Amino acid sequence: AGALPLLVALLQSTHPATAGNAAGALAEILRDVRFGQCIIDLGAPMALLALLCCSSDDQIRIKTCGALASLAADARVRQLALEQGALGVLAAAAQSSGCGWAGNARAMLRALCPTQDDAERALGTQHLENSALRAESDKCFASLASLAGPVEAGHDVELQCEDGEKIGGCRQLLVRASPYYKALLSGTAEGVSGIVKPDPDFSSAAHRALLGQL
């Protein structure tokens, strides 16, 4: 227990490997639920969420998800995830077929959004298996559809969805809003062409809603 304050402080290290190792150590410690409240009181959730949003390293994000998953039942952690924009980062990663931590992101979304209302607040991007819940989620997507639209001259990013619809976006806004898109659109084939083929498991309405939210 005496090492916990140091580990929480190390989450804010300017050295990514150090911060990632601290997150991994906390994930192991949190296997014992008795330490959960103490770690929350030390401010670990805010530091972990900041690390999740800012890091571009998949392994660090996997370790961070491991620690956060043990704290996600706490309402304060869920509120912080909303306030810090972590749900948008998780949603973008969960929808990407080429993301190395997509599975962890989906599991983290399920932990943070255990109910239908919570899922809709996160843009319904977790893959809902229940058809009734999926229908309600589609209503949420429809209401958000106007936030992003057909490809226009002002758009420099194009999402080519599985259903054939093309959605335009602004590279600068996406890069500023999402660490995932910042990495995807920097020094990659997608970054050069501006054409992104998003996860085919999600409808164009889902991608349009997410793009508009970002």
Side-chain angles (χ1 to χ4, degrees):
L4 293 180
L6 176 59
L7 286 174
V8 173
L10 288 175
L11 291 173
Q12 303 176 62
S13 172
T14 55
H15 299 286
T18 299
N21 288 336
L26 286 174
E28 290 299 317
I29 291 171
L30 283 165
R31 291 177 181 272
D32 187 334
V33 296
R34 293 176 299 173
F35 291 108
Q37 189 59 55
C38 179
I39 289 173
I40 289 174
D41 292 342
L42 288 169
M46 183 173 289
L48 286 165
L49 288 165
L51 183 60
L52 180 74
C53 292
C54 296
S55 178
S56 58
D57 185 292
D58 286 354
Q59 290 304 311
I60 290 177
R61 282 176 156 173
I62 289 171
K63 292 177 181 178
T64 304
C65 283
L68 282 169
S70 299
L71 305 174
D74 191 287
R76 291 169 295 175
V77 176
R78 295 178 186 170
Q79 185 61 36
L80 280 172
L82 283 169
E83 293 173 355
Q84 293 200 25
L87 293 178
V89 174
L90 290 166
Q95 292 187 82
S96 172
S97 57
C99 177
W101 64 292
N104 302 85
R106 284 191 285 270
M108 195 67 240
L109 276 174
R110 286 193 293 270
L112 289 168
C113 307
T115 69
Q116 178 185 336
D117 288 342
D118 290 334
E120 289 182 354
R121 291 176 76 187
L123 298 177
T125 48
Q126 55 186 340
H127 195 63
L128 301 175
E129 296 181 353
N130 183 284
S131 59
L133 290 178
R134 188 187 299 276
E136 290 300 316
S137 181
D138 286 343
K139 292 180 183 178
C140 178
F141 292 145
S143 69
L144 292 168
S146 61
L147 297 177
V151 180
E152 299 176 354
H155 291 140
D156 51 7
V157 173
E158 179 181 308
L159 272 69
Q160 297 183 349
C161 300
E162 183 72 9
D163 58 12
E165 182 169 348
K166 297 179 181 179
I167 305 171
C170 172
R171 180 190 299 263
Q172 184 176 6
L173 291 178
L174 287 173
V175 167
R176 287 174 65 88
S178 167
Y180 168 72
Y181 277 111
K182 181 177 181 180
L184 181 66
L185 297 172
S186 301
T188 63
E190 289 89 347
V192 174
S193 67
I195 296 175
V196 177
K197 294 185 180 299
D199 191 332
D201 289 337
F202 295 89
S203 69
S204 57
H207 291 298
R208 190 163 55 247
L210 175 61
L211 207 65
Q213 178 71 4
L214 292 174

